[in-house]
C-alpha cells in the first residue's frame, strides 16, 4: 500500500469523491474517506442519485413520509436529494472550516431538463442554495450555451457554482469569462468576493471513449497510434488556458479585490477502456490548484498503486497541441466530438433524472397503498 493519495494532495490536487448515498453518510464511511483517504469534497449528479435512491438503502422512512403527505414526485426527489447533500455538507464542514472555504464542499446539480433555459436555471440554483442552506455547497450548472449567462447571474448573486459538462477548450474559456463577469457584477453590488467560489468541471474519459471509437473506424496506422491520447491532451490544454486567464490583468484586478480562482476540476476520471491504466486520468493530470473528482474505484486504485511523480501537466502543452492537431489530420473533427459529447451529456443526465422520477413515483405509490 502506497500513500499516493497523500502525495497527490501535496502536489496541490484536491481529492473529491464522485459519489454519494445516504448509507455512506449514516454508516460513517464518508467520514472515514475524509480521515483516511485524503478526500476533501463530494460531487453528485442525477446518475449518482438515481443509483443511490433506486438501491433504497436508508430512504424508506422519508419516502413513506412523503407518500403520506401526497407530495409531487418532483418535490419528493428534491427533498430526498437536498437532505443527502445537506447531511454530507455537515460531515465535510470541518474540512471547509480548515481550508477557509476552499474545500469541504458538496455539489448538487440543477434539474438537467433546464439545461437550455437560462432563467429557469438561475431560479433553480437559487432554490437549491436555499433548500440545502449550507455555506459549503456548490450548485452545479451545465456549461451549455444557455448555461453561460446563468453562471454569470448566479455568481453575481453570491452563490458558489460548480460548472459541469465542459468538453471543449473554447467552451472552457467562455466559462472562465462567465465567472469573471459574475464576480465583477457581484463586486458592483458590494458583495464580498472572498466568499464566492467556483470550480470548472472539465470532463476527461468521455473524450477518449468517443475519439477512440472514431479512430478505430478509420483504422489506419496513424489513427491507431493516437488512441488514448486525446483526453489527457485536451485537459492539459485546458490547464494552459486557466494559467493564461489567471495571469491576465482582468483576473489580477479581481484577485486584488479578494476573488478566488475558479479551479479546474477533472471530472469523468474513471477509465472506460481496460487497456489503459486505471489511474490514467489521475497520474497524468497532476497540477497545482486543481481538483480531481474520482469514483470510488478510481480512488481505491490510486491509493493502491497510483504513481504520483510530481506535476505531469506543466511543460506538456506543445505535445498536447500536437496530439489534437494530429487527430484532425487523420479525419477526426474535434469540434464535432466536443459538441456531440455536450449534447449527449445533457441527454444522459436528463435520462437519469427521468429514471429517478419514475422509480421514486413507483415507491410513493407503493407506500401510499396504491391509492389515487
Amino acid at each position: 500500500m502506497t500513500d499516493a493519495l497523500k502525495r497527490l494532495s501535496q502536489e496541490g490536487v484536491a481529492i473529491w469523491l464522485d459519489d454519494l448515498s445516504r448509507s455512506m453518510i449514516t454508516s460513517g464511511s464518508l467520514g472515514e474517506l475524509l480521515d483516511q483517504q485524503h478526500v476533501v469534497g463530494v460531487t453528485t449528479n442525477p446518475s449518482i442519485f438515481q443509483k443511490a435512491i433506486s438501491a433504497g438503502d436508508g430512504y424508506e422512512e422519508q419516502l413513506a413520509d412523503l407518500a403520506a403527505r401526497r407530495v409531487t414526485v418532483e418535490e419528493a426527489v428534491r427533498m430526498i436529494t437536498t437532505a443527502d447533500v445537506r447531511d454530507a455538507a455537515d460531515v465535510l464542514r470541518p474540512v471547509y472550516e480548515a481550508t477557509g472555504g476552499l474545500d469541504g464542499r458538496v455539489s448538487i446539480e440543477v434539474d438537467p431538463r433546464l439545461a437550455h433555459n437560462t432563467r429557469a436555471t438561475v431560479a433553480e440554483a437559487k432554490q437549491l442554495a436555499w433548500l440545502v442552506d449550507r455555506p459549503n455547497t456548490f450548485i452545479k450548472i451545465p456549461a451549455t450555451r444557455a448555461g453561460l449567462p446563468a453562471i454569470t447571474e448566479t455568481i453575481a448573486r453570491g452563490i458558489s457554482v460548480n460548472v459541469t459538462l465542459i468538453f471543449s477548450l473554447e467552451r472552457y474559456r467562455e466559462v472562465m469569462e462567465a465567472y469573471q463577469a459574475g464576480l465583477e457584477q457581484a463586486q458592483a453590488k458590494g458583495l464580498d468576493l472572498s466568499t464566492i467560489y467556483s470550480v470548472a468541471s472539465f470532463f476527461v474519459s468521455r473524450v477518449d471513449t468517443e475519439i477512440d471509437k472514431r479512430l478505430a473506424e478509420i483504422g489506419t496506422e496513424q489513427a491507431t497510434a493516437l488512441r488514448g491520447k486525446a483526453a489527457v491532451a485536451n485537459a492539459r490544454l485546458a490547464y494552459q488556458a486557466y494559467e493564461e486567464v489567471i495571469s491576465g490583468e482582468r483576473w489580477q484586478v479581481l484577485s486584488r479585490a479578494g476573488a478566488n480562482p475558479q479551479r479546474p476540476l477533472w471530472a469523468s476520471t474513471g477509465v472506460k477502456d481496460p487497456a489503459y491504466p486505471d489511474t490514467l486520468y489521475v497520474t497524468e493530470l497532476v497540477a497545482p490548484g486543481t481538483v480531481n473528482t474520482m469514483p470510488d474505484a478510481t480512488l481505491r486504485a490510486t491509493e493502491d498503486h497510483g504513481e504520483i511523480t510530481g506535476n505531469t501537466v506543466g511543460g506538456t502543452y506543445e505535445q498536447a497541441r500536437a496530439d489534437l492537431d494530429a487527430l484532425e489530420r487523420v479525419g477526426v473533427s474535434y469540434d464535432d466530438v466536443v459538441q456531440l459529447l455536450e449534447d449527449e451529456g445533457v441527454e444522459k443526465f436528463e435520462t437519469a433524472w427521468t429514471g429517478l422520477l419514475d422509480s421514486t413515483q413507483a415507491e410513493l405509490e407503493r407506500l401510499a397503498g396504491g391509492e389515487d
Side-chain angles (χ1 to χ4, degrees), residues 204 207-208 211-212 215 226-236 320 323-324 327 334:
V204 186
V207 174
D208 269 344
I211 288 181
D212 283 0
L215 291 171
L226 293 171
R227 292 184 71 254
K229 294 184 177 181
V232 168
N234 198 39
R236 286 172 169 175
D323 287 341
L324 291 192
L327 291 171
Y334 175 87

Side-chain angles (χ1 to χ4, degrees), residues 22-313:
R22 188 157 298 178
S23 62
M24 289 176 57
I25 300 167
T26 58
S27 69
S29 63
L30 178 59
E32 291 175 2
L33 288 171
L34 308 186
D35 294 337
Q36 300 173 19
Q37 273 75 38
H38 306 278
V39 171
V40 293
V42 170
T43 51
T44 68
N45 61 45
S47 298
I48 286 171
F49 280 128
Q50 181 192 29
K51 177 182 176 183
I53 298 173
S54 296
D57 191 10
Y59 297 99
E60 185 81 6
E61 182 178 352
Q62 188 179 14
L63 279 165
D65 289 345
L66 292 165
R69 291 173 51 213
R70 305 288 184 177
V71 303
T72 65
V73 66
E74 284 84 2
E75 182 181 354
V77 166
R78 273 309 181 207
M79 291 300 99
I80 293 168
T81 57
T82 55
D84 279 1
V85 169
R86 185 184 308 112
D87 290 344
D90 288 343
V91 174
L92 273 82
R93 186 64 176 263
V95 178
Y96 171 80
E97 300 289 353
T99 60
L102 183 65
D103 285 308
R105 292 183 174 268
V106 185
S107 297
I108 182 169
E109 188 159 347
V110 299
D111 185 332
R113 296 172 299 179
L114 308 178
H116 302 296
N117 186 324
T118 300
R119 182 177 178 184
T121 294
V122 174
E124 175 92 340
K126 291 162 58 182
Q127 175 75 355
L128 286 174
W130 178 82
L131 277 172
V132 177
D133 193 28
R134 293 295 185 271
N136 52 326
T137 305
F138 271 132
I139 307 303
K140 291 179 77 172
I141 297 176
T144 57
R145 179 60 55 193
L148 294 171
I151 293 160
T152 295
E153 185 172 345
T154 304
I155 290 292
R157 292 176 176 273
I159 299 172
S160 295
V161 173
N162 176 343
V163 183
T164 189
L165 288 177
I166 307 172
F167 295 95
S168 78
L169 296 169
E170 178 183 5
R171 183 54 54 84
Y172 179 42
R173 289 186 180 275
E174 291 173 337
V175 166
M176 291 188 285
E177 158 68 28
Y179 177 56
Q180 292 180 102
L183 289 174
E184 289 163 349
Q185 292 179 24
Q187 184 179 30
K189 294 177 181 179
L191 298 183
D192 181 359
L193 299 190
S194 69
T195 66
I196 304 171
Y197 287 82
S198 184
V199 292
S201 296
F202 202 86
F203 278 51
V204 186
S205 67
R206 296 186 194 183
V207 174
D208 269 344
T209 299
E210 179 61 29
I211 288 181
D212 283 0
K213 181 178 70 174
R214 298 186 184 204
L215 291 171
E217 290 171 354
I218 294 168
T220 64
E221 183 178 345
Q222 293 89 342
T224 302
L226 293 171
R227 292 184 71 254
K229 294 184 177 181
V232 168
N234 198 39
R236 286 172 169 175
L237 291 175
Y239 191 79
Q240 181 187 35
Y242 163 75
E243 289 184 316
E244 290 172 356
V245 166
I246 64 172
S247 64
E249 180 58 28
R250 183 183 184 186
W251 175 253
Q252 293 303 313
V253 170
L254 288 166
S255 179
R256 289 191 290 270
N260 301 291
Q262 183 185 51
R263 289 184 293 172
L265 180 152
W266 311 130
S268 184
T269 56
V271 174
K272 306 295 193 296
D273 190 332
Y276 301 152
D278 53 4
T279 61
L280 175 66
Y281 304 126
V282 177
T283 60
E284 297 304 305
L285 294 175
V286 178
T290 60
V291 178
N292 195 307
T293 183
M294 311 176 198
D296 185 71
T298 303
L299 179 74
R300 303 296 179 181
T302 302
E303 179 184 38
D304 181 64
H305 52 265
E307 297 183 9
I308 309 303
T309 58
N311 188 330
T312 53
V313 175

